[in-house]
Amino acid sequence: MAASKLQAFWNHPAGPKTIHFWAPTAKWVISIANIADFSKPPEIISNPQQTVVTFTGLIWSRYSLVITPKNWNLFSVNITMAGTGLYQRARKLK
């Protein structure tokens, strides 16, 4: 059973044999870097940068659900980007 699920994942149109897997996987670095910045002082947060991170996350989250096949990796990374961007902007405004 596990082998068939692994094979289905491998052969999926958004699986690891395609750019549709690797591009969002690489995009996780942006979200991880934003999470690492949670401990930094809010004074050094760039509001324009966090605005772009937030809106990029929101726009591409929507896109990831309207394309065929749905790309759940792209959706999850962009929801995370939007969330971390909103949190950083809230810290900056506070």
Side-chain angles (χ1 to χ4, degrees), residues 1-12 16:
M1 181 173 184
S4 66
K5 289 193 180 215
L6 185 59
Q7 187 176 14
F9 170 69
W10 183 256
N11 293 320
H12 190 272

Side-chain angles (χ1 to χ4, degrees), residues 9-10 13-29 71 73-74 77:
F9 170 69
W10 183 256
K17 294 193 295 187
T18 69
I19 190 67
H20 307 294
F21 174 81
W22 291 107
T25 300
K27 200 173 183 180
W28 276 104
V29 173
N71 192 333
N73 187 18
L74 183 62
V77 72

Side-chain angles (χ1 to χ4, degrees), residues 2 13 36-37 42 51 59 61 63 83 85 87 93:
D37 287 346
T51 301
I59 291 166
S61 294
Y63 171 77
Y87 178 71
L93 294 174

Side-chain angles (χ1 to χ4, degrees), residues 36-66:
D37 287 346
F38 287 175
S39 61
K40 293 188 178 178
E43 298 80 35
I44 65 170
I45 294 172
S46 168
N47 200 34
Q49 177 184 356
Q50 295 306 320
T51 301
V52 169
V53 168
T54 300
F55 282 110
T56 298
L58 293 172
I59 291 166
W60 287 101
S61 294
R62 170 72 177 125
Y63 171 77
S64 69
L65 296 178
V66 298

